[in-house]
Amino acid sequence: MADEITEQDMANAIRALAMDAVQKANSGHPGMPMGMADVATVLFNRFLKFDPAEPGWADRDRFVLSAGHGSMLLYSLLHLTGYEAVTLDQLRNFRQLGSLTPGHPEYGHTPGVETTTGPLGQGLTTAVGMALGERLLNARFGDLVDHRTYVIAGDGCLMEGISHEAISLAGHLRLGKLIVLWDDNEITIDGGTDLSVSDNQGDRFAAQGWHVQRVDGHDPEAIAVAIELAQASEEPSLIACRTVIGYGAPNKQGTSATHGAPLGDAEIAAARETLGWPYPPFEIPQPIRKLWLKAGRKGARARAAWEKALGEAPAATRTAFEAALSGKLPAAFAEQMAAYKAELAAKAPRVATRKASQMALEVINGAIVETVGGSADLTGSNNTKTSQTLPVTADDFSGRYIYYGVREHGMAAVMNGLALHGGVIPYGGTFLVFTDYARPAIRLSALMGLRVIYVMTHDSIGLGEDGPTHQPVEHLAALRAIPNLAVYRPADAMETAECWEAALQSDSMPSVIALSRQDLTAYRTEVPTENLCARGAYELRAADGDAKVTLIASGSEVELVCEARDRLQQAGIPTRVVSMPSWEAFERQSDAYRRDTLRPDTLRIAVEAATMLGWERYVGDTGVTIGMTAFGASAPYKELYNHFGLTVEAIVEAAKSRLG
């Protein structure tokens, strides 16, 4: 009978599915799912607010498996609690091409997976963003947004440097609805954790403002009491769950042998006997299945009550809430941007594009109340704060600006969490060179298809005296190599506005907007009838006569090629200029548009203050690239451009020498 089934039996169902699926795939990680099965069972059976019938219910609790290698824990839970798509056949096809059960959880691929995890520490930090998103929307919409974020993290998650950034920020903001369940099993791939770490993790979390508890991770009642106390805390909570990795496998449990390899038929047979689980692979007895499905159905009542509350909310509140969750831009946004661009055309301001970005943001943040900005301790340099964005603090979450501190990696992952939570559009800034620190989270933004906007200023040797440690050289090429990431490098204030508009309209792709420190001439002085930057590249200056040369550049180097164009025209060489703010947008254009823009019948010369890797695709075999071949140096920026040969003279000479 179902009422005779214990949570131990329910947990053993997870253990059995995990070891069977890994064995069938001949690949995977059975140890963590078997070790954390008791913790997960208590969480899903007694506490987690969710409804498998509506995986995207806005006020559900979020569950993040930061230790994503233990994905069979999550897939087992999804199957057992009634997520229709996650069938037994999907578990049988664990780690196989096309299945809903890939080796690590993937957001947007499997219903019930809240975020892509696998790179350790990312899930924990993304969860901080989710918990922060809950607080921001609660401040705006009250009890319509009232849920918790739970995380299962492993030793590796807490070793990764990003975990320090994450828990420090969460403690500072007192994100009391964030609860981390640490799989404290003292085992890593190489062996015991004592090989590489002797931290007192509880003390570390406590020192950073967390509520900390330690429990036996195989004692359901102790786990339940700890979660109840964590729920009552006004601080984020760490529950250190002392577990045995591979629990139930009598000869391998407690060792690294269970971490990342199938247990083997003999050990699985022994585990079945030890656990009292006499059932064939992938078979779940009906009484146990019935109890798990009951756990999955409990959330339906909470969801119905929430939907009733939403329906009874004032019309303006309901409309605003639904608009925020939809992610759609306001209908008036395009008109407001058009008016702003007309103003830019009339005034033609000569400003750095980082300043132009702030000017655009002043319009954007006034039009779109869902934008939430921030900076990794470079607010005054990134120009990411506007008049509408008051600070977010632990005492007041009604603001729209986050001081992330010197935490570039953490900022990027938190923004992923904000985007995943929904209801906000996050953007955040640092120097372009520090995308190196943020890159793993930027990659996950792209992999998940999130609208996260990275405002990356000081985009070249043009930043000047700070020198080569701060001058990005290879970074544009590295970012352009990431699939599904739009990289924009605008040349003036008009292009900056257009790049911002394109980034905001890209609701399934993150964007990097690379911006200059130095002032740049306004070349776009006509009121635009379309967003030319959304095309990726376009003819900025036509040739006088039958074009012989096409000069292509992005960002600050557009100024150089425009002047070089004028000199070549004076020398009797008809020359045109193409501004190329975004390779990715350009590649989406038709073959005919790309051919007409690049003009393969002309000598093509590309100029960019960066390594020129990749530009050969646009200049062809007979073309020329002019850029950086070494790291930068410390000097005023004009001297640096001369020193490294990024000059009008060099461009003119390259054209003349190739034309003969």
Side-chain angles (χ1 to χ4, degrees), residues 47-50 57-62 130-150 175-179 231-233 299 302-303 305-307 309-310 321 325 421-422:
F47 295 99
L48 196 70
K49 183 175 69 171
F50 70 109
W57 167 34
D59 201 40
R60 69 194 181 279
D61 288 341
R62 271 56 168 182
M130 293 178 180
L132 177 55
E134 189 273 344
R135 290 289 82 199
L136 295 176
L137 265 66
N138 174 268
R140 184 179 175 193
F141 297 111
D143 289 342
L144 284 176
V145 184
D146 184 10
H147 53 263
R148 292 183 169 84
T149 302
Y150 294 92
L175 299 177
K177 294 199 170 185
L178 174 64
I179 299 174
Q231 289 181 339
S233 173
R303 178 173 64 85
W306 177 85
E307 289 175 344
L310 177 63
F321 180 79
L325 267 293
H421 181 275

Side-chain angles (χ1 to χ4, degrees), residues 148-172:
R148 292 183 169 84
T149 302
Y150 294 92
V151 182
I152 285 183
D155 291 301
C157 294
L158 303 192
M159 290 186 209
E160 289 284 0
I162 192 173
S163 75
H164 297 262
E165 300 179 26
I167 68 172
S168 176
L169 183 63
H172 173 71

Side-chain angles (χ1 to χ4, degrees), residues 340 349-362 381-383 385 457 493 496 515-519:
Y340 170 63
R350 177 177 170 80
V351 294
T353 50
R354 63 171 176 157
K355 176 60 179 176
S357 173
Q358 186 178 46
M359 292 159 54
L361 277 170
E362 190 68 33
S381 294
N382 299 148
N383 294 336
K385 197 174 187 305
T457 69
T496 303
L515 302 164
S516 75
R517 178 179 185 265
Q518 71 270 36
D519 291 345

Side-chain angles (χ1 to χ4, degrees), residues 430-460:
T430 184
F431 290 171
L432 182 62
V433 75
F434 297 134
T435 55
D436 281 345
Y437 284 171
R439 185 180 176 88
I442 295 174
R443 183 176 188 270
L444 285 184
S445 301
L447 183 58
M448 290 188 277
L450 303 179
R451 179 168 51 187
V452 175
I453 301 172
Y454 297 94
V455 184
M456 299 299 179
T457 69
H458 297 60
D459 69 348
S460 72

Side-chain angles (χ1 to χ4, degrees), residues 58-60 62 64 123-142 145-151 165-180 210 235-236 370-375 390-405 407 410-428:
D59 201 40
R60 69 194 181 279
R62 271 56 168 182
V64 173
L124 171 61
T125 315
T126 301
V128 172
M130 293 178 180
L132 177 55
E134 189 273 344
R135 290 289 82 199
L136 295 176
L137 265 66
N138 174 268
R140 184 179 175 193
F141 297 111
V145 184
D146 184 10
H147 53 263
R148 292 183 169 84
T149 302
Y150 294 92
V151 182
E165 300 179 26
I167 68 172
S168 176
L169 183 63
H172 173 71
L173 291 174
R174 294 202 301 276
L175 299 177
K177 294 199 170 185
L178 174 64
I179 299 174
V180 175
W210 285 59
E235 300 172 330
E370 288 77 22
T371 52
V372 174
S375 173
L390 297 176
V392 172
T393 71
D395 298 314
D396 185 358
F397 288 95
S398 65
R400 293 168 57 192
Y401 195 82
I402 302 164
Y403 288 101
Y404 285 102
R407 302 183 182 104
M411 175 182 71
V414 166
M415 288 198 294
N416 285 343
L418 288 169
L420 287 163
H421 181 275
V424 297
I425 301 173
Y427 70 87

Side-chain angles (χ1 to χ4, degrees), residues 217-509:
H218 301 298
D219 182 341
E221 296 311 315
I223 296 164
V225 169
I227 293 175
E228 287 173 351
L229 291 172
Q231 289 181 339
S233 173
E234 294 183 355
E235 300 172 330
S237 290
L238 173 74
I239 304 175
C241 305
R242 176 54 57 85
T243 61
V244 177
I245 191 171
Y247 183 91
N251 302 302
K252 294 186 176 182
Q253 66 178 16
T255 73
S256 59
T258 69
H259 172 84
L263 296 179
D265 291 334
E267 186 67 7
I268 289 175
R272 278 183 151 77
E273 184 174 348
T274 298
L275 296 170
W277 189 267
Y279 313 105
F282 298 103
E283 181 179 311
I284 307 297
Q286 279 306 311
I288 296 176
R289 181 175 292 280
K290 183 177 179 180
L291 205 55
W292 266 117
L293 290 173
K294 181 181 178 182
R297 286 192 295 267
K298 285 190 300 186
R301 290 190 297 274
R303 178 173 64 85
W306 177 85
E307 289 175 344
K308 184 174 184 290
L310 177 63
E312 294 173 349
T317 300
R318 185 169 64 253
T319 299
F321 180 79
E322 290 172 346
L325 267 293
S326 76
K328 295 178 181 178
L329 302 179
F333 173 63
E335 183 178 331
Q336 290 166 306
M337 286 299 290
Y340 170 63
K341 288 184 282 187
E343 180 183 332
L344 288 177
K347 294 182 177 179
R350 177 177 170 80
V351 294
T353 50
R354 63 171 176 157
K355 176 60 179 176
S357 173
Q358 186 178 46
M359 292 159 54
L361 277 170
E362 190 68 33
V363 178
I364 291 164
N365 288 338
I368 306 173
V369 296
E370 288 77 22
T371 52
V372 174
S375 173
D377 201 49
L378 289 167
T379 294
S381 294
N382 299 148
N383 294 336
T384 41
K385 197 174 187 305
T386 64
S387 63
Q388 305 90 347
T389 53
L390 297 176
V392 172
T393 71
D395 298 314
D396 185 358
F397 288 95
S398 65
R400 293 168 57 192
Y401 195 82
I402 302 164
Y403 288 101
Y404 285 102
V406 188
R407 302 183 182 104
E408 297 88 356
H409 195 181
M411 175 182 71
V414 166
M415 288 198 294
N416 285 343
L418 288 169
L420 287 163
H421 181 275
V424 297
I425 301 173
Y427 70 87
T430 184
F431 290 171
L432 182 62
V433 75
F434 297 134
T435 55
D436 281 345
Y437 284 171
R439 185 180 176 88
I442 295 174
R443 183 176 188 270
L444 285 184
S445 301
L447 183 58
M448 290 188 277
L450 303 179
R451 179 168 51 187
V452 175
I453 301 172
Y454 297 94
V455 184
M456 299 299 179
T457 69
H458 297 60
D459 69 348
S460 72
I461 59 170
L463 71 87
E465 291 86 347
D466 273 346
T469 59
H470 284 54
Q471 292 167 0
V473 173
E474 73 277 22
H475 298 74
L476 288 170
L479 290 166
R480 287 167 178 157
I482 299 177
N484 198 47
L485 174 68
V487 180
Y488 296 98
R489 190 169 183 247
D492 66 3
M494 185 71 76
E495 282 201 355
T496 303
E498 289 187 340
C499 290
W500 262 108
E501 194 171 23
L504 286 163
Q505 290 169 343
S506 298
D507 59 3
S508 59
M509 176 185 292

